[in-house]
């Protein structure tokens, strides 16, 4: 019998409704679980870490894309494969199998590092974290998350090897090596202990650098203050090298070369890698070198003083020898005595020439020669220089002539250097020529003055043409030499030419003569005047004597040498009216009493005051503001003229001087 009562119908409807609700909840739960599964799967597949799920029998249940890519496999190649036998190196399988057994037996989490084999046979190192997944009390499977630490392990291995290598170098180095941290030595090697003569390194550790140093460094500064300053410099610059004096355990102070290098241990910690090198021998050698240099400089200074004194002591009496012999030669009428006077004059000039060469060479060697440019007429200067050798050429019965297309050539050059160049070349030509003669020519060649000195003398063999430029060398040398001379003329000539910016060349043939070609730059403001014809106008050398009725210019000669003070008035007789004073003070007194047109002032006067001081006092007088004072000195070497011009002198002449040179200088200096 079916009961269709209203109560029964209501109960069925209510049950259906609850069933529908339960069904909807189950659907939602399934969707949520699916979403969680998809999320977990996505997370597993996209994580940069390795992920693998293994069944209890060790076969691969799942492997993510990161791990598959690293091993070089596709998913179908690994699922169901035995993990140990396919992906783990043979030497690691036993160890890893025990770990799997512990996971299965004790259901423990584990953390382990092991190697994996890639498909192409490479080995990578992975750090694993393993966890068991249980189904009730039974192991369902276990999962492992891993990180590829291959590069990290290689870096650690490299670092360990580097540390080992550094420690070996640190300990075995012959140089002392120390580590400074927070201004203290925190480590050092055995070489440091030996260098400082301590028993062990513990005695040195945690000391400040100044504690292993004398109280003061050689420069007088406190070792502590200087050390702190140097440490600060090293930290700012990154490295610093310097010399330092340390102190050994027994008190001995010694020099070291120190190199500090900043090493960053981490972001917040820096140390100073310190290397000491004992430089005792180096400093000793350096000090010996300094001492030797100082001695050499002192010897050079003494040599210079000796040569300057020798110059003075020889030049001063030569004024009398050359001056009086020339006066006697001009005044004496008896032929035999006239010849004797001529011999004395000639010998004196030879002696002075040798002295000048030696003194100039000394100046060259000490590099004290400076070019002193003045405006001069080069053609006139060449003629004047050649004139001084005409008598010697005449005695040898050879010709000496000058040829030029120029009447004059005014330019800026060093007069003394240029004169010495021409004199040395002409002197050599006359000396080595016994037949024929010498021709000197001077013409403009582009921007150069081209001077040729051509002789018909003995010539120079090919194998000797290089040595003639060397000091004290001649073609004929030794006791058997034929020709006189010091062997310095061409050395000095070449040096002077190069200082003037020019060059010199030689063309010679043994037995047929020589030609020296000199090229010297002409200054831009040079003023050449062409000669009316190429005929050589003979330079007489003798200044024109003043007419009797012409008023002579007045000259004061201040000189303490009793011979020179007699020679000069005789030289200037008929040219200038000369008064003499035997000391600087007497010269000042005469200048106060009378205004002269010029003053010749000897520099090295022994009484009361020297010539420079006397000239300075006279120049302060209003009457002498524009009166030229000419320096006269026996301390005469190339380069001295500039010194006297800077001291306020109008010009300079060195002893001994010829009558012609003196008159020419006065005529050029005094306003006519």
């Amino acid at each position: 019998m079916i009961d269709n009562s209203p109560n029964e119908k209501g109960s069925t409807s209510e049950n259906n409704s609850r069933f529908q609700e339960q069904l909807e909840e189950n659907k939602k739960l399934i969707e949520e679980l699916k979403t969680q599964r998809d999320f977990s799967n996505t997370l597993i597949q996209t994580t940069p870490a390795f992920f693998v799920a293994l069944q209890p029998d060790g076969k691969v249940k799942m492997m993510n894309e990161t791990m598959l890519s690293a091993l070089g496999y596709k998913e179908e190649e690994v699922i169901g494969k035995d993990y140990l036998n396919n992906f783990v190196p043979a030497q690691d399988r036993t160890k890893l199998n025990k770990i799997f057994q512990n996971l299965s037996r004790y259901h423990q989490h584990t953390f382990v590092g092991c190697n994996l084999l890639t498909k192409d046979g490479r080995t990578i190192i992975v750090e694993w974290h393993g966890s068991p997944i249980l189904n009730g009390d039974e192991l369902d499977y276990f999962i492992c998350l891993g990180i590829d630490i291959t590069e990290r392990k290689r870096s650690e291995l490299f670092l360990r090897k580097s540390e080992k290598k550094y420690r070996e170098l640190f300990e075995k180095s012959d140089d002392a090596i120390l580590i400074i941290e927070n201004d203290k030595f925190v480590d050092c090697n055995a070489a440091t202990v030996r260098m400082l003569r301590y028993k062990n390194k513990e005695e040195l550790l945690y000391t400040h650098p100044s504690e292993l140093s004398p109280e003061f460094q050689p420069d007088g500064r406190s070792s502590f203050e200087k050390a702190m300053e140097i440490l600060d410099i090293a930290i700012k610059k990154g490295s610093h090298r310097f010399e330092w004096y340390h102190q050994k355990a027994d008190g001995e102070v010694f020099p070291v070369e120190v190199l500090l290098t900043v090493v960053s241990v981490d972001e917040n910690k820096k140390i100073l890698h310190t290397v000491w090198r004992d430089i005792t021998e180096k400093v000793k050698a350096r000090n010996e070198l300094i001492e030797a240099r100082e001695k050499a400089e002192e010897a050079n200074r003494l040599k210079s003083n000796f040569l300057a004194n020798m110059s003075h002591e020889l030049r001063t009496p030569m004024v009398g020898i050359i001056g009086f012999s020339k006066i006697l030669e001009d005044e004496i009428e008896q032929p035999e005595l006239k010849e004797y006077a001529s011999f004395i004059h000639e010998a004196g000039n030879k002696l002075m020439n040798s002295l000048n060469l030696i003194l100039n060479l000394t100046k060259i060697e000490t590099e004290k020669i400076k070019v002193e440019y003045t405006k001069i007429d080069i053609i006139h200067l060449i003629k004047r220089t050649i004139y001084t050798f005409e008598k010697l050429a005449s005695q040898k019965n050879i010709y000496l002539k000058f040829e030029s297309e120029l009447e004059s050539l005014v330019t800026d050059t060093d007069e003394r250097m240029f004169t010495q160049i021409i004199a040395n070349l002409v002197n050599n030509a006359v000396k080595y020529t016994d037949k024929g003669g010498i021709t000197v020519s001077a013409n403009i060649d582009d921007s150069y003055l081209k001077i040729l000195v051509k002789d018909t003398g003995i010539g120079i063999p090919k194998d000797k043409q290089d040595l003639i430029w060397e000091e004290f060398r001649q073609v004929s040398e030794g006791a058997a030499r034929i020709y006189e001379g010091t062997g310095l003329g061409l050395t000095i000539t070449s040096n002077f030419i190069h200082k003037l910016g020019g060059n010199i060349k030689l063309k010679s043939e043994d037995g047929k003569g020589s030609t020296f070609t000199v090229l010297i730059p002409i200054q831009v403001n040079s003023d050449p005047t062409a000669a009316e014809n190429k005929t050589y106008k003979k330079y007489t050398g003798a200044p024109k004597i003043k007419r009797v009725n012409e008023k002579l210019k007045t000259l004061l000669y201040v000189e303490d040498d009793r011979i020179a003070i007699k020679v000069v008035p005789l030289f200037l007789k008929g040219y200038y009216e000369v008064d003499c004073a035997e000391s600087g003070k007497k010269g000042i007194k005469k200048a106060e009493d009378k205004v002269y047109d010029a003053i010749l002032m000897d520099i090295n006067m022994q009484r009361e005051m020297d010539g420079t001081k006397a000239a300075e006092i006279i120049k302060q007088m209003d009457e002498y503001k524009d009166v030229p004072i000419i320096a006269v000195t026996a301390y005469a070497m190339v380069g001295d003229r500039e010194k006297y011009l800077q001291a306020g002198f109008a010009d300079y002449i060195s002893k001994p001087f010829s009558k012609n040179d003196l008159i020419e200088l006065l005529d050029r200096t005094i306003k006519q």
Side-chain angles (χ1 to χ4, degrees), residues 88-205:
V88 178
Q91 66 270 19
D92 293 340
R93 289 170 188 166
T94 301
K95 172 186 173 183
L96 196 57
N97 188 45
K98 289 181 179 179
I99 293 172
F100 285 167
Q101 289 177 2
N102 286 334
L103 280 170
S104 301
R105 188 177 306 161
Y106 302 113
H107 305 161
Q108 294 176 340
H109 296 275
T110 187
F111 187 81
V112 66
C114 69
N115 297 323
L116 286 181
L117 283 175
T118 65
K119 189 175 182 179
D120 58 9
R122 291 181 294 107
T123 300
I124 59 176
I125 306 170
V126 181
E127 199 171 65
W128 290 105
H129 181 81
S131 298
I133 302 299
L134 302 178
N135 185 5
D137 293 331
E138 297 295 325
L139 177 68
D140 192 6
Y141 59 93
F142 45 83
I143 59 173
C144 299
L145 281 172
I147 299 173
D148 185 347
I149 59 170
T150 306
E151 291 303 319
R152 192 183 83 188
K153 287 294 183 180
R154 286 175 182 169
S155 298
E156 289 174 355
L157 179 62
F158 176 77
L159 185 60
R160 284 197 298 272
K161 288 181 178 179
S162 297
E163 288 176 349
K164 182 180 179 182
K165 187 176 181 180
Y166 170 77
R167 179 52 66 173
E168 288 179 358
L169 292 172
F170 182 85
E171 293 297 343
K172 294 179 180 179
S173 173
D174 290 332
D175 291 329
I177 302 177
L178 308 95
I179 303 299
I180 297 176
E181 184 180 344
N182 296 326
D183 304 331
K184 298 288 183 74
F185 294 121
V186 296
D187 197 2
C188 69
N189 64 353
T192 307
V193 179
R194 291 194 302 270
M195 181 181 288
L196 294 176
R197 297 176 186 162
Y198 279 85
K199 295 177 182 178
N200 53 65
K201 76 176 185 179
E202 283 70 23
E203 294 181 277
L204 306 176
L205 299 184

Side-chain angles (χ1 to χ4, degrees), residues 311-511:
S311 168
H312 181 268
E313 295 306 314
L314 288 175
R315 285 176 178 275
T316 300
M318 290 304 293
V319 172
I321 295 172
I322 294 176
F324 280 124
S325 62
K326 180 60 178 172
I327 292 170
L328 290 173
E329 184 183 359
D330 292 341
E331 298 293 333
I332 293 175
E333 295 182 0
Q334 187 178 344
E336 187 176 5
L337 294 178
K338 192 179 189 73
E339 186 179 24
Y340 292 163
S342 175
F343 289 160
I344 296 171
H345 188 256
E346 183 180 330
N349 283 327
K350 282 186 177 180
L351 179 59
M352 282 312 306
N353 184 57
S354 296
L355 176 63
N356 286 334
L357 290 174
I358 292 171
L359 294 176
N360 284 337
L361 177 65
T362 303
K363 274 283 191 177
I364 291 170
E365 287 178 341
T366 55
E367 297 182 349
K368 291 183 178 179
I369 287 185
K370 294 181 180 179
V371 179
E372 303 169 10
Y373 288 103
T374 56
K375 193 176 293 295
I376 62 170
D377 184 345
I378 285 182
I379 301 301
H380 173 75
L381 186 61
I382 294 173
K383 289 179 181 180
R384 188 182 71 185
T385 307
I386 291 174
Y387 170 76
T388 62
F389 293 96
E390 284 189 341
K391 184 176 180 181
L392 181 59
S394 177
Q395 290 172 350
K396 296 184 71 172
N397 199 28
I398 59 175
Y399 64 82
L400 175 57
K401 58 184 181 180
F402 175 63
E403 297 176 348
S404 179
E405 298 176 350
L406 303 172
E407 180 68 29
S408 68
L409 175 61
V410 178
T411 188
D412 292 328
T413 190
D414 188 301
E415 181 176 354
R416 295 196 63 186
M417 282 191 185
F418 193 88
T419 301
Q420 191 77 63
I421 290 166
I422 301 301
N424 288 347
L425 292 175
V426 174
N427 181 55
N428 269 14
V430 173
K431 183 194 303 183
Y432 295 114
T433 301
D434 296 320
K435 294 180 181 180
I438 301 98
T439 301
V440 181
S441 65
N443 290 291
I444 295 176
D445 184 358
D446 196 12
S447 59
Y448 288 85
L449 174 67
K450 184 177 183 181
I451 303 168
L452 273 69
V453 180
K454 184 177 182 180
D455 66 62
T456 59
I458 62 172
I460 303 171
K462 288 284 185 184
D463 61 340
K464 299 289 181 70
Q465 291 184 11
D466 288 333
L467 67 82
I468 64 170
W469 309 106
E470 299 176 15
E471 299 169 9
F472 308 110
R473 300 302 301 272
Q474 293 177 308
V475 174
S476 61
E477 297 179 323
R481 70 175 185 160
I482 303 171
Y483 300 94
E484 298 176 347
T486 60
L488 294 174
L490 290 176
T491 303
I492 293 170
T493 298
S494 176
N495 187 279
F496 284 0
I497 289 170
H498 286 104
K499 282 187 176 293
L500 293 176
N503 62 73
I504 182 170
K505 294 180 180 179
L506 166 66
K507 183 179 180 181
S508 183
E509 189 174 345
D510 193 13

Side-chain angles (χ1 to χ4, degrees), residues 188-316:
C188 69
N189 64 353
T192 307
V193 179
R194 291 194 302 270
M195 181 181 288
L196 294 176
R197 297 176 186 162
Y198 279 85
K199 295 177 182 178
N200 53 65
K201 76 176 185 179
E202 283 70 23
E203 294 181 277
L204 306 176
L205 299 184
Y206 303 103
T207 59
H208 189 273
S210 64
E211 295 179 67
L212 302 177
S213 309
E215 185 177 357
F216 299 98
Q217 290 297 302
D219 61 1
R221 294 187 61 189
S222 160
S223 289
F224 178 80
E225 291 179 1
K226 191 169 183 178
M228 293 303 294
E229 179 182 305
I230 287 174
L231 292 174
D232 186 54
I233 291 171
I235 291 172
K236 288 179 179 178
K237 291 174 58 179
S239 68
H240 187 46
R241 189 187 298 272
F242 58 96
E243 288 186 9
W244 187 265
Y245 279 77
H246 275 293
Q247 190 169 25
K248 299 180 182 180
D250 57 11
E252 180 186 341
V253 176
F254 69 108
V256 294
E257 182 182 68
V258 182
L259 175 62
L260 299 177
T261 305
V262 176
V263 178
S264 296
V265 178
D266 54 42
E267 292 182 0
N268 301 314
K269 182 178 178 182
K270 290 182 179 180
I271 62 172
L272 284 171
H273 182 271
T274 309
V275 180
W276 292 353
R277 181 164 293 174
D278 189 334
I279 56 172
T280 302
E281 292 303 317
K282 177 183 175 181
V283 171
K284 181 181 177 183
R286 184 174 65 198
N287 291 338
E288 288 174 351
L289 186 63
I290 292 171
E291 185 180 353
R293 185 182 65 190
E294 290 174 349
K295 286 182 178 179
E297 289 173 350
E298 175 66 11
N300 189 55
R301 186 185 65 79
L302 292 174
K303 181 180 76 171
S304 296
N305 289 341
F306 168 75
L307 288 170
N309 290 332
M310 184 180 73
S311 168
H312 181 268
E313 295 306 314
L314 288 175
R315 285 176 178 275
T316 300

